[in-house]
Amino acid sequence: MQKVQVTLTAHAYFGVRGVPPKGGNPNLSIEGFSDALVYMVKNSGGNWKSPDAKTIAAINKDVEARRAGANKKQ
């Protein structure tokens, strides 16, 4: 599992700055969103692998932590 892949996927899935959550598609699962990011990274010269169950669990945990932090700010 790559920590960078987990963190960047969670940021993008949750939404960051002006980028809407899930890239603007509210119907995307974390798995589908992660696969889309892997595709984009690979096609831009990167070396990400499709996330396994452990990586998906880590992404979910990061997303939930971001959600909890966002709720505290409100």
Side-chain angles (χ1 to χ4, degrees), residues 5-6 14-15 21 26 29 40 46 49 52 54:
Q5 183 175 353
V6 168
F14 186 74
S29 66
M40 289 187 282
K49 294 181 173 55
D52 58 12
K54 183 177 176 182

Side-chain angles (χ1 to χ4, degrees), residues 1-2 4-5 10 13 17-18 20-21 29 31 36 41 43 48-49 59 61 70 73-74:
M1 173 179 55
Q2 295 181 357
V4 170
Q5 183 175 353
Y13 189 81
R17 295 184 197 96
S29 66
E31 293 85 353
V41 168
N43 281 286
W48 283 13
K49 294 181 173 55
I59 293 167
K61 183 177 179 182
K73 291 179 184 177
Q74 295 178 354

